[in-house]
Amino acid sequence: MFEYKPRELNYSKVKTYKECPYLFKQKYVKGFKEGLIAASSLGVSVHRTLEAYHSTKSFNGILKFYNKYFISGGYQSAQEQMEYYLKGKEMLQEYAEKDAQRKSEVISTEKEFIFDYDEWTIRGKIDRIDKIGQDTWEVIDYKTDLEPPTDFKAKDSLQLGIYSVGAKRYWNMKEGKASIYFVSNNTKASADFKDFNEEEILETFIKTGELILKEEFKPNQEHCANCLLKNRCPNSTAKEEI
Ligand code: SF4
């Protein structure tokens, strides 16, 4: 059941607030669902497949899991669904081929951290955690964008930053790195835990949380074109003709 917890923060909430405070209100205060589109539907399918693949430690059947967890919703036509299905199939086959060379040990998938900081509770769910050496870890977030950004800098990522803070505070993982794994081209961008400024990251979270508590929910119409609520939002400047 939907419950709004203003004192609880995670990366998705902070990101959404920064994109558009009004969007934050719709999603997290009122509980509106954005709904699936092709890209997000494929993203959920791939995440579920990888969770099952690594949880079972059965390295032969990634496509078996994909067929089981592929979500058919969110596509505008059967043809679009098939196009995305095939893109997902290709990226997962390449993922499994690369994974066969992996030296690290996958120790968890979809694992949650939670810690209190001042009056706030901060939590997050990490797609995959690997042990990469003696008391050294890698926290990994999968991204399924079909065209991964070419200018992504891991050490500037707020998401990886809070994941590294969570790993250190909640699991006492002192040494390690945080990575985004771009599944569509099977590349990874990483930064060492020590590359992140914990104080700055937590300050960013808390400042955003304070604006949320003050209920400052003005629309940011610069984000409308990329917003999944653009056809339903009264403040949208990017409504499409249907
Ligand atoms: S459509 Fe525009 S104003 Fe409305 S929630 Fe989305 S980004 Fe904000």
Side-chain angles (χ1 to χ4, degrees), residues 19-24 26 218-239:
E19 285 171 346
C20 173
Y22 185 80
L23 174 61
F24 176 93
Q26 300 309 304
K218 280 195 191 138
N220 171 21
Q221 291 168 324
E222 286 180 18
H223 182 66
C224 294
N226 296 315
C227 179
L228 291 180
L229 289 186
K230 67 184 173 190
N231 291 329
R232 290 185 281 159
C233 170
N235 299 302
S236 173
T237 57
K239 279 202 170 97

